[in-house]
Amino acid sequence: MPKISRREFIKGTALAGVSLAASSLLSACAASPQTAEPANPSPQESTKPELAYRQLNPQDESYDAYSDDVSAIFSPITVGKMNLRNRIVKAAAGSDTMPKGAKEMSQNALDYYGMIADGGAALIILETGTLSPFGLTNGSEPSEQGIAEGRKMADRIHQAGAYAGVQFGLGTPMSPQTQVNDYTNEEIKAIVKDCGAAARRLKEAGFDCVEMKGATTDVLNQFLSRSRNFREDEYGAQNNENRVRLFKEIIEEIRTQCGPDFTILTLINAVEECDSALGDNEGYIVLEEAKYLAQQLEQAGADLIQVRVGTPGQEISCWAPDCNHTGIHMDGATGFGTQFNYASHFGGAQDGRHSGAGAFIPLAREIKQVVSLPVGCAGYMDPRTAPDLINQAIQNGDVDLVFMNRALVVDPQLPNKLEAGKRDEIAPCTRCLHCHAKPLGEPEMCRVNATTQFAYTEEMPEGYALLPAETPRKVMVIGGGPAGMEAARIAAQRGHQVTLVEKNSTLGGMLGLVAAYKGPHERLGDLKAYLIRQQEIHGVTVVTEKTADLAYIQQEKPDVVLVAAGGQRISKLTGNAQVNVMTVDNFSLNDVQDSVVILGANLQAVDIASYLIVQGKQVTMINPKAKETIDIEQSPWVRKFTLAHLYAQGVKIYNQADCQKVTENGVLIMMNDCGFEKEITCQTVIECWDLEANLELVEAIKAAGIEVYAVGCDTPKNIQSAIHAGNLTARRI
C-alpha cells in the first residue's frame, strides 16, 4: 500500500487508493442514473461463481458544472396572470421576522423579503407566519387594518419588480398524521369558504397569488393519502374522486372569490416513501395518483403545480433531499439508520446522483407530461451550485420554475450576481441546515450569512445593512480562517484599511482539513474560495507566511487588531509501543489501524468517525459528557441523520465516560453512568477534545496598550460561530 502524506490527505486526495473498499465507495461512474455496471469476472479470471458488487446510489460529482450559460434560468415565463422576469421563486419557509403579538408589519420582515426581491428573484412566496397576525391567511382573524399592513409587504416586493404570494396550508407537518379523520363535514365546508375568503383578502392587500399546500404530511395531503384517510363520507379515500375532492373545492372556491385575474399555485407530493419503516408503503401516494391529482387541479383552475416527495418520518426530506446525503458516503440515508435505494424507492423517479441537487427534476418532468400548466420543484435547486444542471433542465422542458429558499437566504443577490456572470461572488449555501433547526427545538441561524436571525436583535440592532465606519481606521486581522476572512471583508466594506495576516501559505484555516473529513457534500471548498475572493473584491491586503507576533504588530502600528487565531486542543495522553495516540488535527491515515477509539464526541469527532468508517475501520467513541451533547455543534438535522447512520454502522458511543489511561491493549475508561471500569481494545487512539480558548496573543497585545478584540478564539465552536464572530466584531469597530 503506498504511503500518503498528510498534505495529500488535507487536499482531499487521501480517499483515493486507501483501500479497495474506499475506492469502491468513491466510484462516480454509473451506467444508468441509479446503478453502476457490475464488474463480473470472465471465465479465464475465475473458475468459481462470484457475486457482482453493486454500489448503492453512486454519485456524479460533476453536477456543479458551469458553462457560463444560464439563459434558460433567466428567461421570462407567464404563470397565470403573472409575467415573471425569470424562473427563480423564493419558496415559502419560516423567516421568524415578525415579533410575537405584532400589530404592524415589522421592518425586519420588510427588509428580509425586500432584499430577496431586490436580488432578482421573480416571485416571493411568504409563509403564513408573517401574515397571519393581520388576518391574511386561512384560519386567521380578518381586519381592515390587517389588509393595510399586508399591503406594505406587497408594495415593497413590487417595488423591486417581483411578484408577491403567500402559501396556505391546513395544519402543519407536525400535525397528527390521521387528523384528516377528525373533521366533520361541516368543518370541511367551512375550511373551503375560509380559504377562498383569505385569498380574497390577500388580493385586496395587493398580493398576486396564493399557493395551496397539499404536500409533506399536512392535513390537506392526508386527505389524498390512502394510508391516512379513513373517512367514509365523500372526502374519504374509497376512490380517487373522493380523495381529491377537498383540494379541488378549495381551488374552485379561491377562483370564485378572487376571479380570473388572481393566480393560484398548488404544491403536491409527486410520490411518497415510508422512511421510518423503509419500503412499507401500503397506501402511500404513487406517481400515477399524483398525475391524476395534477390533472384534476388543472381542471379546477390551478395555474401551476409544484412537486416534491413525501417522507412522513422525516419531514425535512420532503423538500431538502440533500439532507439524505449529509455525511461522507451516506448517500440515501433516511435518518433511521437505513438507506434509500434511488433505483427503486420513490418509484425510481428521484434523482439521487447529485448529493441532493435537482433531485425532484424527474418528478417535475413526469407531471409535465399530463398537464399543460407550468410545473416547478424545489429540492436543493441552487443555480449557484448546479448552474448547468438546472439551466439544461429548463431548456429541455423538464421543469419550468426553480423553487428555492436556503440559497437566497445565504445571498439574496444570487440571481443578480449569477445573471451578471459573477458566480464566484455569490455566498454559497453549505447545506448545514442550521437554518431549519426550530422544528427540533434549537435556534435557527445561517452558517454563512451572519445576519440571518440576528438582524434587529440586541447583537445587530442596525439590521441587515452595514453602517459605514464613522472614522476609517488601520485594521489588522490575524488569522486567515473563516472568522478572520469574514472580519476582514466586513471591516473593509465599512471603509477601514484592512490587512489580513496568515501564518500559512494560503488562506482558509481548517476549512481544507474539514472538507477532507466531511467530503464534498457541504461545499466547504466553495466557502473557502468565496471568502478568499471577497478579500480581493474589497481591497484587503493579504499577507501570508507571516507569524503576527507582538513585535510585528508594533512594527506595523495598526489602530486596532482583530485576533482570529482559532481555538486550541491540548493533548492529554501518551501512547506506547502497542497503542498509537494522535490528535485529530495532526494525524496521517496511514498510521490509523483497524481498531480506533476517538476521545470526544464533538462535531470534529463525529466527522472523523464517519470518515474512518468509510475506510473500513472499527470505531468507538468516548464522550465525557451527556448523550445530548454528541455532535452538538452541528445542526440538529445533520445530527439526526449522521448519528443514526453511525449507530447502524456499529459505532459504539460511551456517554458520561472518562478515559483514565492508555493500556497495552487500548484504553481504560470509567463509565460514570454505571460506575464500572472498562478496557476497550484498540490499536489507535485519536484525541478530539473540545476546542479551548486561545487568548495568549490577545492578552499580549492588550498588555502592550493596543486596541484588540478576540474574534471567535475566545469561544471556539464551529464554522457558523466563527463567521458570526467575525461579522459582529467587524461591525463594531
Side-chain angles (χ1 to χ4, degrees):
M1 182 183 297
K3 293 292 269 186
I4 299 169
S5 70
R6 181 170 180 269
R7 180 176 296 274
E8 289 172 328
F9 171 68
I10 291 174
K11 288 180 179 178
T13 61
L15 286 173
V18 171
S19 65
L20 178 61
S23 62
S24 297
L25 283 165
L26 284 169
S27 173
C29 299
S32 71
Q34 309 300 344
T35 59
E37 190 70 32
N40 294 311
S42 67
Q44 292 77 19
E45 294 171 333
S46 175
T47 59
K48 62 180 181 179
E50 296 284 348
L51 291 175
Y53 173 75
R54 186 189 69 149
Q55 179 191 341
L56 188 62
N57 305 324
Q59 295 297 288
D60 174 8
E61 294 181 4
S62 67
Y63 70 88
D64 60 355
Y66 179 43
S67 62
D68 294 327
D69 179 13
V70 289
S71 58
I73 295 173
F74 291 97
S75 61
I77 186 173
T78 298
V79 178
K81 297 300 181 180
M82 303 185 299
N83 299 311
L84 304 184
R85 57 191 176 190
N86 59 51
R87 306 304 180 95
I88 297 175
V89 179
K90 162 66 174 70
S95 65
D96 286 336
T97 54
M98 287 292 296
K100 290 183 178 180
K103 302 298 183 184
E104 297 180 352
M105 187 66 67
S106 72
Q107 190 62 47
N108 189 359
L110 291 170
D111 286 354
Y112 179 85
Y113 289 104
M115 285 191 307
I116 296 173
D118 291 339
L123 169 62
I124 313 297
I125 302 179
L126 280 71
E127 80 289 356
T128 57
T130 297
L131 292 178
S132 56
F134 310 117
L136 295 176
T137 59
N138 55 317
S140 60
E141 189 65 31
S143 72
E144 289 300 318
Q145 177 61 28
I147 291 175
E149 292 300 320
R151 189 173 292 114
K152 294 178 183 177
M153 178 64 75
D155 288 348
R156 174 64 183 88
I157 292 171
H158 290 155
Q159 287 169 10
Y163 288 89
V166 179
Q167 183 185 89
F168 285 179
L170 304 183
T172 72
M174 306 304 168
S175 300
Q177 291 196 17
T178 55
Q179 187 173 329
V180 55
N181 304 296
D182 298 335
Y183 290 97
T184 66
N185 193 279
E186 291 73 21
E187 288 172 331
I188 290 174
K189 299 297 184 184
I191 286 171
V192 172
K193 292 293 184 182
D194 179 56
C195 287
R200 187 185 69 248
R201 296 194 297 273
L202 270 184
K203 181 181 178 182
E204 292 173 8
F207 285 84
D208 307 288
C209 66
V210 65
E211 179 181 65
M212 198 67 213
K213 181 185 178 187
T216 62
T217 57
D218 293 25
V219 175
L220 184 52
N221 167 259
Q222 294 176 28
F223 276 88
L224 304 170
S225 174
R226 291 173 287 114
S227 68
R228 281 154 280 181
N229 184 347
F230 309 124
R231 302 179 65 92
E232 296 181 355
D233 60 8
E234 67 266 35
Y235 297 102
Q238 307 93 335
N239 57 59
N240 295 328
E241 183 180 356
N242 280 4
R243 286 188 293 115
V244 303
R245 188 185 306 278
L246 175 57
F247 208 156
K248 287 183 63 178
E249 287 183 352
I250 290 173
I251 300 305
E252 290 166 350
E253 184 67 24
I254 292 173
R255 178 64 67 215
T256 297
Q257 294 208 35
C258 295
D261 60 341
F262 190 69
T263 300
I264 304 173
L265 317 179
T266 60
L267 173 56
I268 66 172
N269 292 344
V271 65
E272 295 179 341
E273 189 71 45
C274 180
D275 49 349
S276 58
L278 190 57
D280 185 6
N281 290 332
E282 186 69 24
Y284 280 37
I285 292 173
V286 296
L287 187 56
E288 288 71 20
E289 291 175 290
K291 288 182 176 181
Y292 171 78
L293 171 61
Q295 292 172 321
Q296 293 297 306
L297 293 176
E298 180 176 19
Q299 292 178 18
D303 296 302
L304 175 138
I305 296 171
Q306 183 197 161
V307 299
R308 57 175 58 166
V309 300
T311 50
Q314 303 280 15
E315 183 265 340
I316 197 167
S317 298
C318 298
W319 48 267
D322 47 295
C323 66
N324 303 120
H325 303 258
T326 294
I328 186 167
H329 297 297
M330 277 173 48
D331 301 295
T334 64
F336 294 97
T338 53
Q339 194 174 6
F340 292 122
N341 179 351
Y342 291 117
S344 55
H345 293 130
F346 301 104
Q350 181 171 170
D351 191 340
R353 296 171 297 163
H354 305 135
S355 205
F360 302 157
I361 290 174
L363 296 169
R365 180 172 59 241
E366 290 286 338
I367 297 299
K368 276 179 63 65
Q369 292 174 3
V370 299
V371 297
S372 59
L373 303 176
V375 177
C377 67
Y380 202 72
M381 293 285 282
D382 179 357
R384 186 213 65 84
T385 299
D388 284 1
L389 177 71
I390 293 172
N391 195 74
Q392 288 168 10
I394 297 171
Q395 255 176 1
N396 295 340
D398 296 336
V399 67
D400 298 304
L401 286 173
V402 176
F403 284 77
M404 53 195 293
N405 180 61
R406 287 172 287 166
L408 291 173
V409 172
V410 176
D411 194 337
Q413 282 288 323
L414 183 155
N416 288 343
K417 290 178 181 178
L418 186 62
E419 187 175 23
K422 298 179 179 179
R423 184 192 184 205
D424 61 342
E425 297 183 24
I426 301 172
C429 174
T430 61
R431 307 197 265 201
C432 64
L433 293 168
H434 283 294
C435 55
H436 288 281
K438 190 174 182 180
L440 295 182
E442 295 189 20
E444 295 186 335
M445 58 200 71
C446 176
R447 175 187 274 172
V448 179
N449 185 343
T451 66
T452 303
Q453 303 297 343
F454 291 97
Y456 294 106
T457 65
E458 291 183 3
E459 284 190 282
M460 204 176 288
E462 68 274 21
Y464 299 93
L466 285 177
L467 301 178
E470 293 183 7
T471 303
R473 306 172 74 186
K474 184 178 180 181
V475 178
M476 177 181 288
V477 180
I478 299 173
M485 287 193 285
E486 177 73 358
R489 91 173 179 94
I490 294 297
Q493 281 184 265
R494 295 187 59 225
H496 294 299
Q497 178 188 341
V498 183
T499 299
L500 176 60
V501 184
E502 167 57 41
K503 65 181 179 181
N504 295 313
S505 59
T506 59
L507 300 178
M510 295 293 289
L511 284 175
L513 181 62
V514 173
Y517 296 154
K518 283 179 172 288
H521 173 77
E522 292 188 26
R523 314 295 303 182
L524 293 180
D526 292 3
L527 176 58
K528 176 181 174 180
Y530 162 75
L531 289 171
I532 291 174
R533 176 71 175 122
Q534 288 292 297
Q535 312 310 304
E536 301 168 357
I537 292 171
H538 298 297
V540 175
T541 300
V542 176
V543 178
T544 58
E545 298 185 273
K546 183 66 181 180
T547 299
D549 55 17
L550 183 58
Y552 175 75
I553 295 167
Q554 291 174 323
Q555 171 190 310
E556 295 299 312
K557 297 181 173 60
D559 297 318
V560 58
V561 180
L562 308 183
V563 179
Q568 61 180 342
R569 286 193 179 93
I570 300 172
S571 178
K572 302 177 183 180
L573 299 174
T574 302
N576 55 42
Q578 292 77 34
V579 181
N580 187 14
V581 176
M582 57 187 72
T583 67
V584 70
D585 297 327
N586 187 21
F587 78 90
S588 167
L589 184 63
N590 291 306
D591 298 327
V592 178
Q593 301 301 309
D594 290 339
S595 182
V596 183
V597 167
I598 298 176
L599 302 177
N602 48 50
L603 80 167
Q604 292 94 357
V606 170
D607 288 341
I608 291 294
S610 299
Y611 174 79
L612 292 177
I613 284 184
V614 173
Q615 316 304 322
K617 309 299 182 184
Q618 177 184 340
V619 178
T620 302
M621 301 177 68
I622 311 302
N623 177 22
K625 301 178 182 179
K627 178 181 179 180
E628 292 72 24
T629 66
I630 301 173
D631 205 21
I632 193 65
E633 302 90 349
Q634 300 273 29
S635 74
W637 287 114
V638 170
R639 292 200 302 276
K640 198 171 183 65
F641 282 81
T642 302
L643 293 183
H645 174 75
L646 289 184
Y647 292 140
Q649 295 298 312
V651 173
K652 171 65 177 176
I653 304 178
Y654 290 93
N655 299 305
Q656 297 181 347
D658 294 318
C659 180
Q660 296 183 314
K661 63 179 180 179
V662 178
T663 68
E664 291 185 357
N665 299 314
V667 293
L668 182 68
I669 69 169
M670 169 59 75
M671 300 179 291
N672 295 314
D673 56 345
C674 64
F676 290 101
E677 290 184 337
K678 181 179 181 66
E679 185 177 32
I680 300 175
T681 301
C682 68
Q683 302 154 305
T684 302
V685 175
I686 300 175
E687 293 182 283
C688 193
W689 310 114
D690 291 350
L691 287 166
E692 298 182 13
N694 182 11
L695 296 172
E696 183 178 351
L697 182 58
V698 174
E699 296 301 330
I701 298 170
K702 186 182 298 183
I706 302 171
E707 185 178 347
V708 61
Y709 299 91
V711 184
C713 53
D714 51 341
T715 55
K717 183 181 178 184
N718 56 16
I719 296 170
Q720 185 278 329
S721 66
I723 290 178
H724 185 74
N727 191 293
L728 279 180
T729 306
R731 283 172 175 261
R732 292 170 181 164
I733 59 173

